Amino acid sequence: MDHRDPHQRYSVDFFCGLSSAVITTLVTHPVNKLIYRQILEGGALKDSLTRLRLEGLHYLYRGALPPMFQKAVSLSTMFGVYNVALVPMKKLHMAPRTEHFAAGFIAGTAETIFCPFERVQVLLIKSEYHSRFKNMFHTFIDLRRTHGILEYYRGTAVVYWKNTLSCSMFFVMKAEVKKHYGKEDASVTKNLLNFLTGGVLGAAMTTVLYPYKTVQVYIQKDIGGRFLTSREVILSIYSKGGVKLFYKGVVLNSIRALLGWGVTNSVFDYMKEKLNRL
């Protein structure tokens, strides 16, 4: 068990989470943009890919700043809060899986504070808003001026359940897998194992919870008007295309998650090990 002061532990986890978030966003944003486009446009992958190609490189990383900010603060929060939350959990003498699940749930709850970044990302990716919003900061200002701060939090309930369930699942499964790591594994082997662990778990986790992402995007793609409930949006999506519409873009999302979570987990664990040796 790590006997360092919780504040020191949080600082290390915060920095490692921030660093892994920046690297992961730069690597996966183009793929993530294709996924959002498939959900928003409802077309085939090749159609969304063609539209992105026609828009050019100028728009390829449009919308990258919100997820970079969001990932930087949310991953920092996720890993930091999770490790700090484990301290009181262990004092309650829970079963190990329950400890990891509860700490992950708390971390996911804390992550939801940053929902506005996901909201703005959806608007910047939607092609209809290219001429209205210049960048992340302009979008935040425009939304507040025209519709108020509450507009930032459209879709928060769905984001909350997506975050809490995904964090809980990830940390429980990661702890189980790491039990089988060899203690004398070489550095390269550990990095590869961390990449594969994060990638496989992330892909499985996001695939299972993918309908939450679809509902979130449908809720957050509009501006103004009444806030639709999750039930209303689910029924609307189903009436348009049945169950398969909830999984539009799921294959590409699984590939993105495999790469993204692999990078995130390996970079985080590598940096944390190095910093703990200082």
Side-chain angles (χ1 to χ4, degrees):
M1 182 177 175
D2 193 343
H3 295 287
R4 289 173 301 155
D5 180 78
H7 296 292
Q8 183 183 355
R9 183 185 301 112
Y10 181 83
S11 298
V12 171
D13 293 328
F14 181 92
F15 180 77
C16 294
L18 187 149
S19 301
S20 62
V22 172
I23 295 171
T24 302
T25 303
L26 289 174
V27 172
T28 63
H29 181 72
V31 179
N32 199 40
K33 190 163 189 174
L34 272 175
I35 295 166
Y36 275 95
R37 282 295 183 85
Q38 276 198 275
I39 294 173
L40 290 168
E41 297 165 357
L45 173 60
K46 65 178 182 179
D47 295 330
S48 297
L49 193 58
T50 299
R51 289 190 183 92
L52 282 183
R53 182 176 57 81
L54 292 174
E55 289 172 8
L57 290 174
H58 174 72
Y59 285 109
L60 182 61
Y61 273 87
R62 177 182 166 87
L65 201 54
M68 185 175 291
F69 269 80
Q70 186 263 333
K71 275 191 176 296
V73 292
S74 68
L75 284 180
S76 299
T77 301
M78 184 183 86
F79 285 111
V81 172
Y82 165 76
N83 281 294
V84 172
L86 273 180
V87 176
M89 295 300 166
K90 290 184 180 297
K91 292 179 181 178
L92 295 175
H93 305 293
M94 297 178 174
R97 290 176 185 173
T98 305
E99 289 177 358
H100 294 299
F101 184 90
F105 201 91
I106 293 171
T109 300
E111 264 194 285
T112 307
I113 297 171
F114 309 109
C115 170
F117 289 108
E118 295 190 60
R119 163 71 163 140
V120 169
Q121 181 188 6
V122 172
L123 297 179
L124 285 172
I125 287 175
K126 193 174 180 182
S127 58
E128 287 87 335
Y129 295 131
H130 279 180
S131 59
R132 175 172 176 177
F133 302 125
K134 297 177 183 178
N135 50 48
M136 181 185 76
F137 302 105
H138 180 251
T139 307
F140 272 117
I141 294 170
D142 187 291
L143 286 180
R144 182 184 58 78
R145 185 180 67 247
T146 57
H147 296 285
I149 292 177
L150 282 179
E151 192 67 34
Y152 295 164
Y153 294 91
R154 188 181 288 262
T156 301
V158 180
V159 174
Y160 170 78
W161 286 110
K162 184 187 71 173
N163 286 350
T164 51
L165 291 174
S166 63
C167 282
S168 300
M169 290 167 60
F170 178 77
F171 286 117
V172 169
M173 292 188 291
K174 180 179 176 177
E176 290 297 311
V177 172
K178 292 197 79 169
K179 289 179 182 178
H180 303 286
Y181 279 21
K183 292 183 179 180
E184 303 302 325
D185 285 339
S187 179
V188 174
T189 304
K190 275 187 179 180
N191 290 333
L192 179 59
L193 286 172
N194 286 331
F195 179 86
L196 292 174
T197 298
V200 172
L201 294 182
M205 173 184 70
T206 55
T207 299
V208 170
L209 299 176
Y210 191 76
Y212 282 91
K213 185 184 185 80
T214 301
V215 173
Q216 174 193 337
V217 172
Y218 267 80
I219 290 175
Q220 294 183 332
K221 69 182 178 65
D222 297 319
I223 301 174
R226 184 172 64 87
F227 280 35
L228 299 176
T229 65
S230 299
R231 182 175 182 277
E232 289 175 316
V233 173
I234 290 171
L235 291 175
S236 175
I237 295 172
Y238 185 80
S239 66
K240 291 177 182 178
V243 174
K244 67 179 182 180
L245 197 55
F246 287 95
Y247 291 92
K248 199 72 176 178
V250 68
V251 175
L252 194 59
N253 185 70
S254 297
I255 296 172
R256 180 202 63 80
L258 183 67
L259 177 62
W261 277 101
V263 172
T264 296
N265 195 54
S266 57
V267 170
F268 179 87
D269 283 2
Y270 174 80
M271 292 191 68
K272 184 171 180 178
E273 183 179 348
K274 294 298 181 184
L275 288 174
N276 284 340
R277 289 178 179 177
L278 296 178

